[in-house]
Amino acid sequence: MRPFGYIDGYLAVGSVRLADIAAEVGTPVYVYSADAIEAAYREFEAVLAPARICYAVKANGNLAVLRLLAGLGAGADVVSEGEFRRALAAGIAPDKIVFSGVGKTNAEMEAALQSGICQINCESAPEIHNLSRIAARLGLTASVAIRINPDVDAGTLDRISTGRKTDKFGVAWTEAAALFHEAARLPGLTMEAIAVHIGSQLGDLEPYRRAFRRIAELTGILQADGITIRRLDLGGGFGIRYRDETPLALADYAKVVEEEVGSLGCEIVVEPGRRLVGPAGVLLARVVAVKETPVRRFVIVDAGMNDLVRPMMYDAWHDILPLDVPPVGVEYRLADVVGPVCESTDKFAEERLLPPLNSGDLVAFCEAGAYGAVMASTYNGRPLVPEVLTQGGRFDLVRARPAFTESLALERMPDWLAGSGGDV
């Protein structure tokens, strides 16, 4: 459920008016509801217990968000050393972290092993052999899962599907048993888990069921051969409502898990990301100008595609709400909502039916808590967007907007260009 709604004519989260945040912090700015994140986590905890819940950090890596989830008992699913370091800094213990990803470097493997990480998900034979060499050199033992590719189409957007045989992720499920046997003979490895993740924003239980059946079949084959599987990492992919989607009921998902793999006696790991933080966030922006042409009406805002890339990258829909409730009976008109970035793709919505908007008005892009700030860039020399976390009737700045001087200070001028221009 969306935690943002109109109170006394103003868009608010809890008892905090979003316009007050914009006035203090400036725009554009991301705003997250701690109460909504906690409620979403508690639902997973209640429905899927005793499964281990490892939050997918790639959805939103803000340290305050991670600290909140750590306090609730969450582990973490990470796909880079940067995410791993963030999880540790936020207070998530290494033995509650799973390291996924198709292209781990030697340095990333070493950091994970030396920390005492819970599990490393390997996605190819070369990766397993490399991990074995590193673990043996360090005198450590890695707890390893092989991520299988079950050749299951998740039925979601092509660019966020990960479980088909043509996707780069995982080991073909028909080849996984042989790789388990090969890996079991290598030094420095304990082969004790199977992992799978078939995509994001899933809205149908059937792909999950097909993938889990292949996990169950593989588990049975391996255990019959004397390889004990202790843990099943079922990934994530839980969809949310952006426009007209119907998110899966977690109770129905839990039933599929129980029916397909519940009898195997393995610990279950799930890795929600978007479902925990997506609906809990908005991006606030201010209207810079409204430009009328003979064929289009453009609402130009101060947020750009560098701040929220999903509409450009995925043609994604985000509801756009004015922060002041529109008067009753006001005429809605079609408009393109665009940003200031010097690209034609800098567009949040095309021919969207919106109430009257004028220069200075504030709007909120909804369901922006996942894959928003974490995917932002400084394209066109624009600073990264600040982030605010609310709880009850308070709000706190949890990442400041960098000053231009801070960004410039990261760069260095070579000696041979010294004196040829202004200072950096």
Side-chain angles (χ1 to χ4, degrees):
M1 180 181 294
R2 183 181 289 166
F4 302 89
Y6 290 103
I7 299 177
D8 298 327
Y10 302 98
L11 195 62
V13 54
S15 58
V16 178
R17 288 181 15 165
L18 296 182
D20 292 341
I21 296 176
E24 181 168 323
V25 180
T27 56
V29 57
Y30 278 99
V31 180
Y32 313 126
S33 165
D35 297 315
I37 294 171
E38 178 174 356
Y41 181 84
R42 294 299 186 199
E43 183 184 7
F44 272 90
E45 187 178 51
V47 172
L48 289 168
R52 180 182 301 203
I53 302 169
C54 291
Y55 167 66
V57 174
K58 68 177 182 176
N60 184 324
N62 182 277
L63 284 178
V65 170
L66 295 179
R67 176 65 63 86
L68 170 66
L69 288 164
L72 296 174
D77 167 52
V78 304
V79 295
S80 71
E81 185 175 352
E83 288 186 354
F84 178 59
R85 299 293 182 188
R86 282 186 164 271
L88 294 177
I92 299 177
D95 63 2
K96 299 179 75 172
I97 299 176
V98 174
F99 204 131
S100 304
V102 72
K104 305 176 198 68
T105 66
N106 290 0
E108 288 175 325
M109 290 182 182
E110 289 183 12
L113 284 168
Q114 290 172 333
S115 76
I117 197 168
C118 168
Q119 176 177 299
I120 297 178
N121 291 351
C122 289
E123 305 207 18
S124 68
E127 183 180 19
I128 284 176
H129 282 272
N130 196 31
L131 179 60
S132 171
R133 286 191 293 269
I134 294 170
R137 173 169 54 80
L138 296 174
L140 299 170
T141 300
S143 175
V144 178
I146 290 181
R147 175 177 174 175
I148 68 165
N149 184 316
D151 193 21
V152 170
D153 191 335
T156 185
L157 186 67
D158 179 69
R159 283 170 282 180
I160 53 176
S161 291
T162 61
R164 303 163 301 186
K165 63 183 178 182
T166 53
D167 295 322
K168 72 178 182 178
F169 299 97
V171 175
W173 73 282
T174 53
E175 300 175 359
L179 185 55
F180 264 98
H181 283 287
E182 180 182 345
R185 296 188 293 268
L186 296 174
L189 306 182
T190 298
M191 305 303 300
E192 58 183 6
I194 302 172
V196 71
H197 178 68
I198 58 174
S200 299
Q201 190 61 6
L202 271 72
D204 185 3
L205 287 169
E206 191 56 31
Y208 282 121
R209 187 182 294 278
R210 294 199 303 272
F212 297 165
R213 281 181 181 169
R214 290 190 166 164
I215 283 182
E217 180 180 343
L218 177 60
T219 301
I221 292 171
L222 292 172
Q223 293 187 339
D225 291 343
I227 295 178
T228 300
I229 299 299
R230 296 183 173 87
R231 190 181 306 118
L232 302 178
D233 181 345
L234 303 182
F238 308 96
I240 66 173
R241 181 195 175 278
Y242 286 103
R243 188 175 185 181
D244 53 10
E245 304 92 338
T246 301
L248 294 174
L250 291 187
D252 294 338
Y253 171 84
K255 184 178 179 181
V256 170
V257 172
E258 178 60 30
E259 290 172 349
E260 301 301 334
V261 299
S263 64
L264 299 176
C266 300
E267 179 187 12
I268 300 298
V269 178
V270 293
E271 297 165 349
R274 186 193 314 261
R275 184 74 168 255
L276 293 179
V277 295
V282 294
L283 173 63
L284 303 184
R286 189 176 297 275
V287 177
V288 174
V290 178
K291 175 181 175 180
E292 302 273 0
T293 77
V295 294
R296 293 277 183 165
R297 175 176 175 244
F298 295 98
V299 175
I300 306 169
V301 298
D302 61 1
M305 71 183 213
N306 68 297
D307 305 315
L308 179 62
V309 74
R310 294 188 71 254
M312 185 277 287
M313 184 176 290
Y314 301 123
D315 195 26
W317 177 285
H318 289 269
D319 282 343
I320 303 171
L321 300 179
L323 264 57
D324 294 341
V325 67
V328 175
V330 72
E331 180 186 3
Y332 281 59
R333 295 177 56 201
L334 296 176
D336 289 6
V337 181
V338 301
V341 173
C342 192
E343 299 284 347
S344 295
T345 51
D346 184 28
K347 186 180 298 185
F348 296 107
E350 191 170 0
E351 296 194 297
R352 184 77 62 89
L353 199 59
L354 294 172
L357 291 169
N358 299 297
S359 177
D361 288 347
L362 293 164
V363 296
F365 296 91
C366 299
E367 282 73 50
Y371 305 107
V374 77
M375 296 179 76
S377 75
T378 58
Y379 185 47
N380 275 191
R382 292 168 51 81
L384 292 174
V385 183
E387 296 168 80
V388 166
L389 187 65
T390 72
Q391 186 176 53
R394 64 174 293 170
F395 68 89
D396 294 276
L397 181 66
V398 294
R399 189 180 76 175
R401 191 189 318 274
F404 289 111
T405 52
E406 293 177 84
S407 299
L408 291 172
L410 296 174
E411 301 184 34
R412 297 289 182 269
M413 194 67 69
D415 291 343
W416 53 273
L417 283 176
S420 62
D423 293 334
V424 174

